[in-house]
mmCIF file of all heavy atoms in Angstrom:
data_model
loop_
_atom_site.group_PDB
_atom_site.id
_atom_site.type_symbol
_atom_site.label_atom_id
_atom_site.label_comp_id
_atom_site.label_asym_id
_atom_site.label_seq_id
_atom_site.Cartn_x
_atom_site.Cartn_y
_atom_site.Cartn_z
ATOM 1 N N ILE T 151 11.387 -89.966 38.215
ATOM 2 C CA ILE T 151 11.394 -90.511 36.866
ATOM 3 C C ILE T 151 12.521 -89.769 36.113
ATOM 4 O O ILE T 151 12.391 -88.584 35.834
ATOM 5 C CB ILE T 151 10.022 -90.286 36.157
ATOM 6 C CG1 ILE T 151 8.896 -90.830 36.957
ATOM 7 C CG2 ILE T 151 10.068 -90.879 34.746
ATOM 8 C CD1 ILE T 151 8.963 -92.322 37.218
ATOM 9 N N ASP T 152 13.590 -90.510 35.857
ATOM 10 C CA ASP T 152 14.728 -89.840 35.167
ATOM 11 C C ASP T 152 14.727 -90.169 33.709
ATOM 12 O O ASP T 152 13.746 -90.699 33.132
ATOM 13 C CB ASP T 152 16.012 -90.306 35.844
ATOM 14 C CG ASP T 152 16.361 -91.718 35.563
ATOM 15 O OD1 ASP T 152 15.491 -92.507 35.180
ATOM 16 O OD2 ASP T 152 17.469 -92.105 35.773
ATOM 17 N N ARG T 153 15.760 -89.803 33.026
ATOM 18 C CA ARG T 153 15.960 -89.955 31.625
ATOM 19 C C ARG T 153 15.756 -91.419 31.142
ATOM 20 O O ARG T 153 15.025 -91.652 30.188
ATOM 21 C CB ARG T 153 17.264 -89.414 31.171
ATOM 22 C CG ARG T 153 17.324 -89.069 29.718
ATOM 23 C CD ARG T 153 18.620 -88.406 29.361
ATOM 24 N NE ARG T 153 19.342 -87.991 30.590
ATOM 25 C CZ ARG T 153 20.663 -87.831 30.624
ATOM 26 N NH1 ARG T 153 21.428 -87.998 29.583
ATOM 27 N NH2 ARG T 153 21.282 -87.501 31.740
ATOM 28 N N ALA T 154 16.365 -92.320 31.826
ATOM 29 C CA ALA T 154 16.305 -93.742 31.338
ATOM 30 C C ALA T 154 14.921 -94.308 31.440
ATOM 31 O O ALA T 154 14.398 -94.972 30.538
ATOM 32 C CB ALA T 154 17.268 -94.575 32.184
ATOM 33 N N LEU T 155 14.219 -94.035 32.556
ATOM 34 C CA LEU T 155 12.887 -94.542 32.748
ATOM 35 C C LEU T 155 11.917 -93.848 31.845
ATOM 36 O O LEU T 155 11.009 -94.424 31.260
ATOM 37 C CB LEU T 155 12.459 -94.444 34.222
ATOM 38 C CG LEU T 155 11.280 -95.296 34.664
ATOM 39 C CD1 LEU T 155 11.475 -96.787 34.305
ATOM 40 C CD2 LEU T 155 11.118 -95.158 36.147
ATOM 41 N N ARG T 156 12.077 -92.553 31.659
ATOM 42 C CA ARG T 156 11.233 -91.794 30.807
ATOM 43 C C ARG T 156 11.379 -92.221 29.368
ATOM 44 O O ARG T 156 10.419 -92.350 28.620
ATOM 45 C CB ARG T 156 11.474 -90.258 30.863
ATOM 46 C CG ARG T 156 10.634 -89.496 29.887
ATOM 47 C CD ARG T 156 10.323 -88.099 30.194
ATOM 48 N NE ARG T 156 10.008 -87.752 31.524
ATOM 49 C CZ ARG T 156 8.791 -87.656 32.034
ATOM 50 N NH1 ARG T 156 7.775 -87.984 31.260
ATOM 51 N NH2 ARG T 156 8.552 -87.289 33.240
ATOM 52 N N SER T 157 12.606 -92.493 28.900
ATOM 53 C CA SER T 157 12.847 -92.988 27.506
ATOM 54 C C SER T 157 12.174 -94.365 27.361
ATOM 55 O O SER T 157 11.682 -94.673 26.306
ATOM 56 C CB SER T 157 14.277 -93.001 27.153
ATOM 57 O OG SER T 157 14.993 -93.967 27.962
ATOM 58 N N LEU T 158 12.186 -95.176 28.384
ATOM 59 C CA LEU T 158 11.562 -96.478 28.345
ATOM 60 C C LEU T 158 10.036 -96.284 28.211
ATOM 61 O O LEU T 158 9.393 -96.968 27.357
ATOM 62 C CB LEU T 158 11.886 -97.306 29.612
ATOM 63 C CG LEU T 158 11.303 -98.707 29.678
ATOM 64 C CD1 LEU T 158 11.905 -99.580 28.652
ATOM 65 C CD2 LEU T 158 11.518 -99.255 31.035
ATOM 66 N N LEU T 159 9.458 -95.376 28.959
ATOM 67 C CA LEU T 159 8.053 -95.076 28.843
ATOM 68 C C LEU T 159 7.722 -94.604 27.468
ATOM 69 O O LEU T 159 6.635 -94.952 26.871
ATOM 70 C CB LEU T 159 7.588 -94.117 29.886
ATOM 71 C CG LEU T 159 7.729 -94.529 31.375
ATOM 72 C CD1 LEU T 159 7.381 -93.370 32.320
ATOM 73 C CD2 LEU T 159 6.803 -95.687 31.611
ATOM 74 N N GLU T 160 8.535 -93.777 26.910
ATOM 75 C CA GLU T 160 8.244 -93.207 25.552
ATOM 76 C C GLU T 160 8.431 -94.311 24.490
ATOM 77 O O GLU T 160 7.618 -94.349 23.544
ATOM 78 C CB GLU T 160 9.216 -92.076 25.286
ATOM 79 C CG GLU T 160 8.852 -90.794 26.016
ATOM 80 C CD GLU T 160 9.869 -89.684 25.902
ATOM 81 O OE1 GLU T 160 10.878 -89.885 25.165
ATOM 82 O OE2 GLU T 160 9.710 -88.656 26.559
ATOM 83 N N ALA T 161 9.450 -95.139 24.625
ATOM 84 C CA ALA T 161 9.687 -96.228 23.635
ATOM 85 C C ALA T 161 8.548 -97.218 23.626
ATOM 86 O O ALA T 161 8.153 -97.726 22.580
ATOM 87 C CB ALA T 161 11.001 -96.967 23.937
ATOM 88 N N TRP T 162 7.962 -97.485 24.790
ATOM 89 C CA TRP T 162 6.809 -98.430 24.900
ATOM 90 C C TRP T 162 5.489 -97.732 24.703
ATOM 91 O O TRP T 162 4.450 -98.376 24.790
ATOM 92 C CB TRP T 162 6.871 -99.136 26.211
ATOM 93 C CG TRP T 162 7.957 -100.186 26.298
ATOM 94 C CD1 TRP T 162 8.697 -100.632 25.292
ATOM 95 C CD2 TRP T 162 8.396 -100.864 27.476
ATOM 96 N NE1 TRP T 162 9.603 -101.596 25.758
ATOM 97 C CE2 TRP T 162 9.385 -101.748 27.109
ATOM 98 C CE3 TRP T 162 7.982 -100.825 28.756
ATOM 99 C CZ2 TRP T 162 10.035 -102.542 28.046
ATOM 100 C CZ3 TRP T 162 8.640 -101.620 29.749
ATOM 101 C CH2 TRP T 162 9.659 -102.468 29.341
ATOM 102 N N ARG T 163 5.485 -96.411 24.467
ATOM 103 C CA ARG T 163 4.300 -95.615 24.212
ATOM 104 C C ARG T 163 3.298 -95.716 25.367
ATOM 105 O O ARG T 163 2.094 -95.868 25.142
ATOM 106 C CB ARG T 163 3.660 -96.014 22.932
ATOM 107 C CG ARG T 163 4.642 -95.842 21.727
ATOM 108 C CD ARG T 163 4.021 -96.288 20.425
ATOM 109 N NE ARG T 163 4.425 -95.332 19.433
ATOM 110 C CZ ARG T 163 3.654 -94.975 18.450
ATOM 111 N NH1 ARG T 163 2.503 -95.530 18.343
ATOM 112 N NH2 ARG T 163 4.069 -94.118 17.623
ATOM 113 N N MET T 164 3.788 -95.737 26.544
ATOM 114 C CA MET T 164 2.935 -95.878 27.730
ATOM 115 C C MET T 164 1.929 -94.667 27.891
ATOM 116 O O MET T 164 0.771 -94.873 28.209
ATOM 117 C CB MET T 164 3.744 -95.970 28.989
ATOM 118 C CG MET T 164 4.637 -97.195 29.067
ATOM 119 S SD MET T 164 3.754 -98.749 29.229
ATOM 120 C CE MET T 164 3.032 -98.497 30.877
ATOM 121 N N GLU T 165 2.380 -93.477 27.658
ATOM 122 C CA GLU T 165 1.560 -92.295 27.759
ATOM 123 C C GLU T 165 0.360 -92.347 26.809
ATOM 124 O O GLU T 165 -0.785 -92.023 27.135
ATOM 125 C CB GLU T 165 2.367 -91.023 27.540
ATOM 126 C CG GLU T 165 1.551 -89.798 27.764
ATOM 127 C CD GLU T 165 1.066 -89.542 29.191
ATOM 128 O OE1 GLU T 165 1.629 -90.124 30.108
ATOM 129 O OE2 GLU T 165 0.058 -88.837 29.315
ATOM 130 N N GLU T 166 0.652 -92.783 25.560
ATOM 131 C CA GLU T 166 -0.415 -92.934 24.603
ATOM 132 C C GLU T 166 -1.408 -94.012 24.927
ATOM 133 O O GLU T 166 -2.635 -93.885 24.672
ATOM 134 C CB GLU T 166 0.170 -93.181 23.172
ATOM 135 C CG GLU T 166 0.989 -92.042 22.669
ATOM 136 C CD GLU T 166 1.863 -92.416 21.454
ATOM 137 O OE1 GLU T 166 1.518 -93.474 20.851
ATOM 138 O OE2 GLU T 166 2.789 -91.742 21.208
ATOM 139 N N MET T 167 -0.948 -95.098 25.529
ATOM 140 C CA MET T 167 -1.893 -96.226 25.817
ATOM 141 C C MET T 167 -2.692 -95.958 27.121
ATOM 142 O O MET T 167 -3.845 -96.238 27.169
ATOM 143 C CB MET T 167 -1.079 -97.505 26.030
ATOM 144 C CG MET T 167 -0.594 -98.173 24.747
ATOM 145 S SD MET T 167 -0.124 -99.872 24.934
ATOM 146 C CE MET T 167 1.332 -99.715 25.894
ATOM 147 N N PHE T 168 -2.000 -95.401 28.130
ATOM 148 C CA PHE T 168 -2.689 -95.393 29.454
ATOM 149 C C PHE T 168 -2.811 -93.946 30.003
ATOM 150 O O PHE T 168 -3.460 -93.761 31.020
ATOM 151 C CB PHE T 168 -1.835 -96.212 30.477
ATOM 152 C CG PHE T 168 -1.714 -97.613 30.126
ATOM 153 C CD1 PHE T 168 -0.587 -98.135 29.585
ATOM 154 C CD2 PHE T 168 -2.903 -98.430 30.336
ATOM 155 C CE1 PHE T 168 -0.535 -99.467 29.205
ATOM 156 C CE2 PHE T 168 -2.797 -99.785 29.951
ATOM 157 C CZ PHE T 168 -1.629 -100.342 29.381
ATOM 158 N N GLY T 169 -2.287 -92.970 29.337
ATOM 159 C CA GLY T 169 -2.448 -91.569 29.834
ATOM 160 C C GLY T 169 -3.909 -91.118 29.721
ATOM 161 O O GLY T 169 -4.650 -91.497 28.836
ATOM 162 N N ALA T 170 -4.271 -90.186 30.539
ATOM 163 C CA ALA T 170 -5.604 -89.581 30.538
ATOM 164 C C ALA T 170 -5.698 -88.663 29.403
ATOM 165 O O ALA T 170 -4.751 -87.969 29.012
ATOM 166 C CB ALA T 170 -5.919 -88.929 31.862
ATOM 167 N N LEU T 171 -6.927 -88.547 28.783
ATOM 168 C CA LEU T 171 -7.182 -87.636 27.711
ATOM 169 C C LEU T 171 -8.082 -86.479 28.195
ATOM 170 O O LEU T 171 -8.970 -86.704 29.071
ATOM 171 C CB LEU T 171 -7.882 -88.376 26.544
ATOM 172 C CG LEU T 171 -7.103 -89.501 25.890
ATOM 173 C CD1 LEU T 171 -7.924 -90.174 24.841
ATOM 174 C CD2 LEU T 171 -5.788 -88.974 25.322
ATOM 175 N N CYS T 172 -7.947 -85.356 27.586
ATOM 176 C CA CYS T 172 -8.765 -84.201 27.881
ATOM 177 C C CYS T 172 -10.234 -84.504 27.494
ATOM 178 O O CYS T 172 -10.448 -85.063 26.358
ATOM 179 C CB CYS T 172 -8.241 -82.971 27.129
ATOM 180 S SG CYS T 172 -9.321 -81.528 27.296
ATOM 181 N N SER T 173 -11.155 -84.236 28.337
ATOM 182 C CA SER T 173 -12.589 -84.531 28.023
ATOM 183 C C SER T 173 -13.130 -83.725 26.896
ATOM 184 O O SER T 173 -14.111 -84.060 26.278
ATOM 185 C CB SER T 173 -13.423 -84.316 29.283
ATOM 186 O OG SER T 173 -13.039 -85.164 30.291
ATOM 187 N N ALA T 174 -12.513 -82.568 26.610
ATOM 188 C CA ALA T 174 -13.052 -81.653 25.540
ATOM 189 C C ALA T 174 -12.368 -81.971 24.201
ATOM 190 O O ALA T 174 -13.067 -82.122 23.199
ATOM 191 C CB ALA T 174 -12.930 -80.216 25.951
ATOM 192 N N CYS T 175 -11.030 -81.915 24.143
ATOM 193 C CA CYS T 175 -10.285 -81.965 22.892
ATOM 194 C C CYS T 175 -9.598 -83.299 22.644
ATOM 195 O O CYS T 175 -9.063 -83.492 21.575
ATOM 196 C CB CYS T 175 -9.258 -80.916 22.838
ATOM 197 S SG CYS T 175 -7.910 -81.045 24.007
ATOM 198 N N GLN T 176 -9.677 -84.218 23.626
ATOM 199 C CA GLN T 176 -9.063 -85.563 23.419
ATOM 200 C C GLN T 176 -7.532 -85.575 23.312
ATOM 201 O O GLN T 176 -6.981 -86.564 22.824
ATOM 202 C CB GLN T 176 -9.710 -86.345 22.308
ATOM 203 C CG GLN T 176 -11.177 -86.551 22.503
ATOM 204 C CD GLN T 176 -11.487 -87.241 23.803
ATOM 205 O OE1 GLN T 176 -10.945 -88.291 24.063
ATOM 206 N NE2 GLN T 176 -12.420 -86.646 24.573
ATOM 207 N N ARG T 177 -6.842 -84.452 23.641
ATOM 208 C CA ARG T 177 -5.417 -84.524 23.724
ATOM 209 C C ARG T 177 -4.947 -85.123 24.952
ATOM 210 O O ARG T 177 -5.631 -85.019 26.008
ATOM 211 C CB ARG T 177 -4.858 -83.087 23.606
ATOM 212 C CG ARG T 177 -4.964 -82.494 22.192
ATOM 213 C CD ARG T 177 -4.323 -81.135 22.150
ATOM 214 N NE ARG T 177 -4.933 -80.284 23.091
ATOM 215 C CZ ARG T 177 -4.829 -78.992 23.112
ATOM 216 N NH1 ARG T 177 -4.102 -78.393 22.230
ATOM 217 N NH2 ARG T 177 -5.444 -78.232 24.062
ATOM 218 N N PRO T 178 -3.750 -85.784 24.976
ATOM 219 C CA PRO T 178 -3.293 -86.302 26.258
ATOM 220 C C PRO T 178 -3.037 -85.238 27.264
ATOM 221 O O PRO T 178 -2.520 -84.136 26.993
ATOM 222 C CB PRO T 178 -1.955 -87.011 25.806
ATOM 223 C CG PRO T 178 -1.992 -87.146 24.388
ATOM 224 C CD PRO T 178 -2.880 -86.073 23.847
ATOM 225 N N LEU T 179 -3.382 -85.562 28.511
ATOM 226 C CA LEU T 179 -3.086 -84.619 29.629
ATOM 227 C C LEU T 179 -1.645 -84.797 29.959
ATOM 228 O O LEU T 179 -0.976 -85.746 29.645
ATOM 229 C CB LEU T 179 -3.957 -85.007 30.844
ATOM 230 C CG LEU T 179 -5.425 -84.757 30.726
ATOM 231 C CD1 LEU T 179 -6.181 -85.216 31.998
ATOM 232 C CD2 LEU T 179 -5.706 -83.278 30.449
ATOM 233 N N GLU T 180 -1.138 -83.804 30.725
ATOM 234 C CA GLU T 180 0.256 -83.828 31.094
ATOM 235 C C GLU T 180 0.538 -85.026 31.951
ATOM 236 O O GLU T 180 -0.283 -85.404 32.775
ATOM 237 C CB GLU T 180 0.556 -82.485 31.863
ATOM 238 C CG GLU T 180 2.031 -82.320 32.261
ATOM 239 C CD GLU T 180 2.222 -81.032 32.930
ATOM 240 O OE1 GLU T 180 1.703 -79.978 32.488
ATOM 241 O OE2 GLU T 180 2.873 -81.028 33.952
ATOM 242 N N ILE T 181 1.779 -85.594 31.860
ATOM 243 C CA ILE T 181 2.143 -86.717 32.654
ATOM 244 C C ILE T 181 2.118 -86.315 34.128
ATOM 245 O O ILE T 181 2.571 -85.304 34.469
ATOM 246 C CB ILE T 181 3.544 -87.173 32.297
ATOM 247 C CG1 ILE T 181 3.490 -88.054 31.065
ATOM 248 C CG2 ILE T 181 4.238 -87.886 33.389
ATOM 249 C CD1 ILE T 181 4.755 -88.648 30.649
ATOM 250 N N PRO T 182 1.503 -87.146 35.061
ATOM 251 C CA PRO T 182 1.321 -86.769 36.401
ATOM 252 C C PRO T 182 2.627 -86.848 37.219
ATOM 253 O O PRO T 182 2.696 -86.468 38.379
ATOM 254 C CB PRO T 182 0.328 -87.768 36.911
ATOM 255 C CG PRO T 182 0.468 -88.918 36.073
ATOM 256 C CD PRO T 182 0.797 -88.383 34.684
ATOM 257 N N PHE T 183 3.731 -87.394 36.661
ATOM 258 C CA PHE T 183 4.919 -87.526 37.375
ATOM 259 C C PHE T 183 6.064 -86.793 36.684
ATOM 260 O O PHE T 183 7.125 -87.371 36.513
ATOM 261 C CB PHE T 183 5.292 -89.028 37.541
ATOM 262 C CG PHE T 183 5.123 -89.823 36.249
ATOM 263 C CD1 PHE T 183 6.124 -89.861 35.331
ATOM 264 C CD2 PHE T 183 3.979 -90.543 36.089
ATOM 265 C CE1 PHE T 183 5.968 -90.614 34.094
ATOM 266 C CE2 PHE T 183 3.831 -91.273 34.893
ATOM 267 C CZ PHE T 183 4.802 -91.326 33.955
ATOM 268 N N ALA T 184 5.855 -85.553 36.391
ATOM 269 C CA ALA T 184 6.845 -84.771 35.619
ATOM 270 C C ALA T 184 8.234 -84.766 36.366
ATOM 271 O O ALA T 184 9.250 -85.037 35.718
ATOM 272 C CB ALA T 184 6.346 -83.376 35.477
ATOM 273 N N ALA T 185 8.234 -84.395 37.617
ATOM 274 C CA ALA T 185 9.535 -84.284 38.264
ATOM 275 C C ALA T 185 9.663 -85.511 39.221
ATOM 276 O O ALA T 185 10.709 -86.139 39.352
ATOM 277 C CB ALA T 185 9.650 -83.027 39.041
ATOM 278 N N GLY T 186 8.624 -85.827 39.931
ATOM 279 C CA GLY T 186 8.662 -86.915 40.830
ATOM 280 C C GLY T 186 7.243 -87.425 41.027
ATOM 281 O O GLY T 186 6.240 -86.645 40.842
ATOM 282 N N TRP T 187 7.000 -88.642 41.317
ATOM 283 C CA TRP T 187 5.717 -89.185 41.474
ATOM 284 C C TRP T 187 5.590 -89.887 42.783
ATOM 285 O O TRP T 187 6.480 -90.625 43.207
ATOM 286 C CB TRP T 187 5.417 -90.171 40.355
ATOM 287 C CG TRP T 187 4.030 -90.635 40.271
ATOM 288 C CD1 TRP T 187 2.960 -89.961 39.761
ATOM 289 C CD2 TRP T 187 3.493 -91.871 40.820
ATOM 290 N NE1 TRP T 187 1.859 -90.730 39.901
ATOM 291 C CE2 TRP T 187 2.125 -91.877 40.526
ATOM 292 C CE3 TRP T 187 4.066 -92.923 41.500
ATOM 293 C CZ2 TRP T 187 1.310 -92.903 40.893
ATOM 294 C CZ3 TRP T 187 3.208 -93.988 41.796
ATOM 295 C CH2 TRP T 187 1.898 -93.956 41.526
ATOM 296 N N SER T 188 4.507 -89.678 43.481
ATOM 297 C CA SER T 188 4.389 -90.214 44.860
ATOM 298 C C SER T 188 3.647 -91.498 44.845
ATOM 299 O O SER T 188 2.597 -91.628 44.222
ATOM 300 C CB SER T 188 3.654 -89.200 45.740
ATOM 301 O OG SER T 188 3.332 -89.778 46.967
ATOM 302 N N PHE T 189 4.184 -92.455 45.559
ATOM 303 C CA PHE T 189 3.438 -93.753 45.739
ATOM 304 C C PHE T 189 2.489 -93.679 46.919
ATOM 305 O O PHE T 189 1.691 -94.504 47.108
ATOM 306 C CB PHE T 189 4.456 -94.901 46.025
ATOM 307 C CG PHE T 189 5.156 -95.372 44.813
ATOM 308 C CD1 PHE T 189 6.451 -94.959 44.556
ATOM 309 C CD2 PHE T 189 4.569 -96.231 43.978
ATOM 310 C CE1 PHE T 189 7.092 -95.398 43.412
ATOM 311 C CE2 PHE T 189 5.189 -96.683 42.866
ATOM 312 C CZ PHE T 189 6.465 -96.253 42.561
ATOM 313 N N ASP T 190 2.593 -92.591 47.690
ATOM 314 C CA ASP T 190 1.786 -92.434 48.868
ATOM 315 C C ASP T 190 0.466 -91.852 48.414
ATOM 316 O O ASP T 190 0.363 -90.657 47.969
ATOM 317 C CB ASP T 190 2.424 -91.516 49.847
ATOM 318 C CG ASP T 190 1.659 -91.349 51.141
ATOM 319 O OD1 ASP T 190 0.624 -92.006 51.301
ATOM 320 O OD2 ASP T 190 2.116 -90.578 51.955
ATOM 321 N N ARG T 191 -0.672 -92.564 48.451
ATOM 322 C CA ARG T 191 -1.906 -92.153 47.960
ATOM 323 C C ARG T 191 -2.493 -90.898 48.707
ATOM 324 O O ARG T 191 -3.289 -90.166 48.192
ATOM 325 C CB ARG T 191 -2.996 -93.260 48.014
ATOM 326 C CG ARG T 191 -2.561 -94.473 47.237
ATOM 327 C CD ARG T 191 -3.083 -94.298 45.777
ATOM 328 N NE ARG T 191 -2.850 -95.562 45.117
ATOM 329 C CZ ARG T 191 -2.144 -95.626 43.977
ATOM 330 N NH1 ARG T 191 -1.611 -94.519 43.489
ATOM 331 N NH2 ARG T 191 -1.924 -96.717 43.367
ATOM 332 N N THR T 192 -2.060 -90.724 49.948
ATOM 333 C CA THR T 192 -2.540 -89.627 50.735
ATOM 334 C C THR T 192 -1.982 -88.294 50.232
ATOM 335 O O THR T 192 -2.579 -87.266 50.562
ATOM 336 C CB THR T 192 -2.239 -89.777 52.215
ATOM 337 O OG1 THR T 192 -0.782 -89.857 52.335
ATOM 338 C CG2 THR T 192 -2.823 -91.060 52.783
ATOM 339 N N ARG T 193 -0.958 -88.293 49.545
ATOM 340 C CA ARG T 193 -0.335 -87.073 49.067
ATOM 341 C C ARG T 193 -1.119 -86.478 47.839
ATOM 342 O O ARG T 193 -0.944 -85.326 47.550
ATOM 343 C CB ARG T 193 1.128 -87.261 48.666
ATOM 344 C CG ARG T 193 2.032 -87.462 49.833
ATOM 345 C CD ARG T 193 3.405 -87.482 49.370
ATOM 346 N NE ARG T 193 4.310 -87.901 50.461
ATOM 347 C CZ ARG T 193 5.570 -87.986 50.360
ATOM 348 N NH1 ARG T 193 6.203 -87.690 49.255
ATOM 349 N NH2 ARG T 193 6.314 -88.386 51.350
ATOM 350 N N ARG T 194 -1.770 -87.338 47.148
ATOM 351 C CA ARG T 194 -2.527 -86.876 45.947
ATOM 352 C C ARG T 194 -4.001 -86.565 46.316
ATOM 353 O O ARG T 194 -4.812 -87.411 46.155
ATOM 354 C CB ARG T 194 -2.475 -87.927 44.866
ATOM 355 C CG ARG T 194 -1.101 -88.117 44.327
ATOM 356 C CD ARG T 194 -1.042 -88.993 43.110
ATOM 357 N NE ARG T 194 -1.406 -90.360 43.440
ATOM 358 C CZ ARG T 194 -1.863 -91.261 42.624
ATOM 359 N NH1 ARG T 194 -2.071 -90.936 41.351
ATOM 360 N NH2 ARG T 194 -2.176 -92.435 42.985
#
């Protein structure tokens, strides 16, 4: 996820709509694909 795709995610507010929230304080959890994100389900 580079700058262009990250800016698109921010412009469309994807993290706010679909990101997970902390169960205690309801703040958004860190994005799971900070440097790279795996499409391979066995890696997670």
Side-chain angles (χ1 to χ4, degrees):
I151 306 297
D152 70 342
R153 200 173 348 155
L155 199 52
R156 178 155 316 267
S157 66
L158 181 65
L159 294 173
E160 289 172 2
W162 287 348
R163 303 175 137 216
M164 295 291 295
E165 182 65 24
E166 294 167 18
M167 284 197 293
F168 298 104
L171 299 176
C172 175
S173 296
C175 66
Q176 300 302 310
R177 286 186 300 198
L179 293 176
E180 185 177 315
I181 278 185
F183 44 84
W187 188 81
S188 172
F189 283 98
D190 184 5
R191 300 270 186 237
T192 60
R193 290 188 189 180
R194 294 190 291 157

